[in-house]
Amino acid sequence: MSKTRYKNQKESNEAIAKAYIENDYTNSQNKLLLVSKANYGKISSNVCYSSVDDKGMNFYEFNKNAERNLMLIERYEWSDFSSVTINHSITKSAFTFVGHDKNRDITIEVKGKEVEQVIRNHSSMEVNVVKRPVWTKVLGYRSQTSWKMFMASTIYTLILLFILHALLPAATHNFIMELASLVLFLSIIGLLIGLIKPKWVLPKFKVKTRKRVLFSYLYLIFSCFFIAVAFTDGESTSTPASTQVSSSQNSVTVASKKDGADSSKQKVEKNDSDKAVKEEAKQKAEEQAAKEEAKRKAEEQAAKEEAKRKAEEQAAKEEAKQKAEEQAAKEEAERKAQEQAAKEEAERQAEKQAAKEEAERKAQQQAASQQATTSSSTSSSGNYKPFENDPSDDQQSNMSCSGQIKGNKNSKIYHVPGGAYYDRTQDNIVWFCSEADAQAAGYRKSQR
């Protein structure tokens, strides 16, 4: 498969690989079932693809800059393995093939369940599928690595936090912030205790180690901190200030009741300011939500247009294919009609030729009959002249006598019935009624 073709046709790597593999299977006895990206453990910078057929699977290494974009590097037959263990995740599936003399670890992207179905339908291998909770298939939890799970949990918590902040009413923000602060404080205490006695703070966990305490409680601390920060809006930030103002007013009231009216006025102004800040924050949130909604709609519209374009391209391809089939059928019909007409013309010409030959033969027979009649009359009058038939006619029925002697006009030799050359002599024949007539005409008898 040449590199030049794919530079002219701006195809994706997967399309190039699929076209090459389909071409590779053209003359193969195996039936190609699917093509997918794969990894079979080889360290390489190039992408690998696998082709799955009814007898096994091929592995190809892709290199777009090479003369041959795809190169076959290995093939596995289903019959080489006795069992397979499959571990499915969201984006890929890990296959561990166990054979009599070798094992293979293979990773198939996206189409792992289809490969599993092929193995079940076309091989006698024992198939074992690893069963695990759904959450272990989520990105970040598949490897069961502590730091990866910690990072994934933190990111998912932040995403959930932004969603809740947009959905929950502003009146609940203060309560959520205070609750998160309380849990944050308790988590810090739990972390300190757990580093000393892990089993005191991990009652529900089977593995009670300081590492588990560290990751679990750090996750709680970070989550509660982010929640407290996220739900600290204008109203919540103003609450401590108003509490301080209230306390100072109480102290001032105790010191002097004259400032009471001024303090009430300041409190009203402060509340008005807090409301304005709250309204501004709410307006910004609505604007952000409107922007996100517009962006989402634009993406949906682009997706619809892309789907419509693909559907139109598919329809155009099908229409072109249909027209090509109709054109081929039309040409085939015209060819058959021409063949039929030529056949009928040949038959008609053959019939004409046969009729012409039949007419000529009848004319020759009639002429020979007339000549035989003339010869007979001449012989009876005493002027004998032997009958000479048409070179292609060796019949004696047109003679007046029952001639049995056959002479060759060119060799001047006559043959009697039973002679070696009697039946072989068929051209330039002269018939005689007796040997005496033949000898009188200057012919001599054949020696055989």
Side-chain angles (χ1 to χ4, degrees), residues 389-417:
N389 71 327
D390 183 86
S392 62
D393 187 4
D394 63 347
Q395 300 297 321
Q396 56 181 341
S397 60
N398 53 7
M399 296 180 57
S400 59
C401 66
S402 298
Q404 298 294 323
I405 308 302
K406 183 188 291 185
N408 190 312
K409 181 179 179 181
N410 293 337
S411 64
K412 295 295 183 177
I413 297 173
Y414 69 88
H415 306 274
V416 297

Side-chain angles (χ1 to χ4, degrees), residues 208-260:
K208 300 179 181 181
T209 61
R210 288 183 176 85
K211 183 178 178 181
R212 176 60 63 87
V213 171
L214 182 63
F215 281 110
S216 300
Y217 279 88
L218 279 179
Y219 166 70
L220 286 175
I221 291 171
F222 281 120
S223 299
C224 293
F225 174 77
F226 291 141
I227 292 173
V229 172
F231 285 91
T232 303
D233 51 15
E235 183 177 355
S236 60
T237 54
S238 64
T239 302
S242 58
T243 303
Q244 293 177 1
V245 172
S246 178
S247 300
S248 62
Q249 285 177 354
N250 290 333
S251 62
V252 171
T253 303
V254 174
S256 177
K257 293 182 179 181
K258 293 182 180 180
D259 297 333

Side-chain angles (χ1 to χ4, degrees), residues 24-233:
D24 193 28
Y25 271 82
T26 301
N27 298 322
S28 174
Q29 295 180 353
N30 301 329
K31 182 180 180 182
L32 178 62
L33 300 176
L34 60 93
V35 177
S36 175
K37 279 188 177 181
N39 185 345
Y40 69 108
K42 182 178 179 182
I43 300 175
S44 174
S45 59
N46 296 326
V47 180
C48 293
Y49 289 89
S50 68
S51 64
V52 181
D53 54 61
D54 55 345
K55 299 293 180 60
M57 58 172 32
N58 293 343
F59 282 90
Y60 301 84
E61 190 173 64
F62 182 85
N63 186 353
K64 194 169 185 178
N65 297 321
E67 184 65 25
R68 290 174 62 86
N69 302 121
L70 215 65
M71 181 176 295
L72 177 64
I73 52 179
E74 198 164 0
R75 174 171 176 81
Y76 300 142
E77 297 287 345
W78 301 137
S79 58
D80 294 339
F81 304 101
S82 59
S83 65
V84 59
T85 301
I86 307 173
N87 191 352
H88 292 298
S89 62
I90 294 179
T91 58
K92 59 185 179 181
S93 300
F95 291 77
T96 301
F97 291 93
V98 179
H100 302 292
D101 58 346
K102 58 183 178 180
N103 297 340
R104 289 290 184 272
D105 291 325
I106 299 168
T107 302
I108 301 294
E109 296 187 9
V110 182
K111 298 182 179 181
K113 292 189 177 180
E114 297 179 22
V115 176
E116 176 191 347
Q117 194 62 36
V118 171
I119 294 173
R120 290 183 184 275
N121 294 338
H122 298 278
S123 74
S124 59
M125 281 188 286
E126 179 184 355
V127 180
N128 302 313
V129 180
V130 177
K131 295 182 179 180
R132 58 181 184 175
V134 177
W135 64 270
T136 59
K137 299 181 181 181
V138 179
L139 186 64
Y141 296 94
R142 293 175 294 183
S143 62
Q144 299 291 295
T145 306
S146 299
W147 70 270
K148 289 184 178 180
M149 295 171 63
F150 173 77
M151 295 297 296
S153 300
T154 304
I155 293 172
Y156 294 147
T157 301
L158 288 175
I159 295 172
L160 179 62
L161 181 61
F162 284 116
I163 296 174
L164 291 175
H165 186 274
L167 296 178
L168 294 176
T172 62
H173 290 188
N174 189 30
F175 171 76
I176 295 175
M177 185 271 294
E178 292 176 355
L179 180 61
S181 300
L182 177 61
V183 176
L184 174 62
F185 175 73
L186 295 176
S187 299
I188 295 173
I189 296 175
L191 176 62
L192 297 176
I193 296 173
L195 293 176
I196 301 172
K197 291 289 183 179
K199 64 180 180 179
W200 288 0
V201 295
L202 296 174
K204 298 288 185 179
F205 291 87
K206 293 181 180 179
V207 180
K208 300 179 181 181
T209 61
R210 288 183 176 85
K211 183 178 178 181
R212 176 60 63 87
V213 171
L214 182 63
F215 281 110
S216 300
Y217 279 88
L218 279 179
Y219 166 70
L220 286 175
I221 291 171
F222 281 120
S223 299
C224 293
F225 174 77
F226 291 141
I227 292 173
V229 172
F231 285 91
T232 303
D233 51 15

